[in-house]
Amino acid sequence: LNVILKDKGKLIGLLVVFSSEENAFDSRTQRLLSFIADIASLAIGRITSASKTEVLLERDKLTQTYNLKYLKNYLAKTLEDNQPVSLIALELDNFREIKDRYGEAEGDKLLCVIVREMKKYIKERPNCIARVKNDRFVVCLQGLNSTDALTIARELGERIGKEEFFVEKNPGHPYKTTISIGILTYPQDNIKDKNKLLDYLEMSLIIGERGII
């Protein structure tokens, strides 16, 4: 006997019941199974809805990267496992100028392109990309030493610096952008308070502790 599971009119599963006896599923049994199916559908629907809500709360709506809250939790879990971690902060140098000149939509498009380029460079490693401010992102890379992190950061900076970005309303006049980058590696950088890694990372970005790209 097959009983369809639905949530808000959509098929979400199938309850399959077997019996070795003939005519085992009389009308009363079928009603009972239908009742069980309704309860199961309701439970599955609530779990699915809760999962979708959790994802939305963890993600930046525009770029679909993680948000600052998720990054902090991810970083805390990584440190609890005593794993080395490198953090790369990236910030566009002329983002406000680009938005003022070409509009909000062009600025949004640029952020999404930057995220796409970041993902190309770090896809082979356990990572977390988070948008922590308007045009600032933090990349958290597990098991990466400072030398490798610096290499990735420089390659990414050079790649974005060479890219030409086209505006739909004015395709004949592309523009360019550059990024500032700060890097921090724990425990390699001898940071005493691992709970303040993001604070130290921001300082690295601002004053160019390892050079600004």
Side-chain angles (χ1 to χ4, degrees):
L1 178 66
N2 298 330
V3 184
I4 294 175
L5 304 180
K6 288 185 176 182
D7 180 49
K8 297 179 181 179
K10 294 183 179 180
L11 178 65
I12 60 173
L14 189 66
L15 176 63
V16 182
V17 185
F18 296 95
S19 176
S20 59
E21 299 180 8
E22 292 186 10
N23 302 319
F25 304 113
D26 55 21
S27 59
R28 182 186 176 192
T29 302
Q30 290 182 34
R31 287 196 301 272
L32 176 61
L33 291 174
S34 179
F35 176 70
I36 294 173
D38 289 342
I39 295 175
S41 298
L42 181 62
I44 293 172
R46 287 180 175 176
I47 292 172
T48 302
S49 178
S51 298
K52 289 180 178 179
T53 300
E54 185 176 355
V55 170
L56 289 173
L57 292 174
E58 292 175 345
R59 298 276 184 175
D60 171 59
K61 186 176 180 180
L62 173 64
T63 63
Q64 290 302 298
T65 55
Y66 290 105
N67 56 29
L68 180 58
K69 181 179 178 181
Y70 180 90
L71 172 65
K72 289 180 177 179
N73 291 335
Y74 181 92
L75 183 57
K77 180 64 169 61
T78 301
L79 295 173
E80 283 179 6
D81 295 339
N82 293 317
Q83 297 185 55
V85 60
S86 284
L87 298 173
I88 304 174
L90 307 95
E91 188 170 71
L92 295 178
D93 294 327
N94 56 339
F95 186 61
R96 179 172 294 180
E97 177 186 333
I98 290 170
K99 287 204 304 180
D100 290 345
R101 184 172 183 178
Y102 300 110
E104 191 81 23
E106 184 62 30
D108 290 348
K109 186 175 76 172
L110 176 60
L111 292 178
C112 292
V113 172
I114 298 299
V115 169
R116 185 184 68 200
E117 293 301 320
M118 282 192 284
K119 289 181 177 179
K120 287 181 182 179
Y121 280 89
I122 64 173
K123 62 182 179 181
E124 302 300 329
R125 294 183 177 275
N127 67 78
C128 170
I129 302 176
R131 184 183 181 189
V132 297
K133 288 186 179 179
N134 188 29
D135 62 331
R136 183 181 299 177
F137 297 88
V138 171
V139 182
C140 179
L141 295 164
Q142 296 182 26
L144 199 70
N145 60 41
S146 59
T147 301
D148 290 339
L150 183 59
T151 298
I152 289 176
R154 289 194 180 279
E155 289 178 353
L156 181 58
E158 291 172 3
R159 167 67 178 154
I160 292 173
K162 292 177 181 178
E163 187 78 17
E164 289 188 330
F165 301 93
F166 293 86
V167 184
E168 292 183 8
K169 295 181 180 179
N170 194 9
H173 296 81
Y175 67 89
K176 290 189 174 185
T177 187
T178 55
I179 55 175
S180 295
I181 294 180
I183 305 172
L184 180 150
T185 301
Y186 182 86
Q188 191 171 343
D189 285 345
N190 298 318
I191 296 171
K192 296 180 180 180
D193 189 351
K194 64 182 181 181
N195 295 317
K196 293 185 177 180
L197 290 183
L198 293 178
D199 295 333
Y200 291 126
L201 180 65
E202 183 167 8
M203 291 172 59
S204 172
L205 178 63
I206 293 172
I207 65 177
E209 200 165 82
R210 291 200 172 161
I212 291 181
I213 297 172

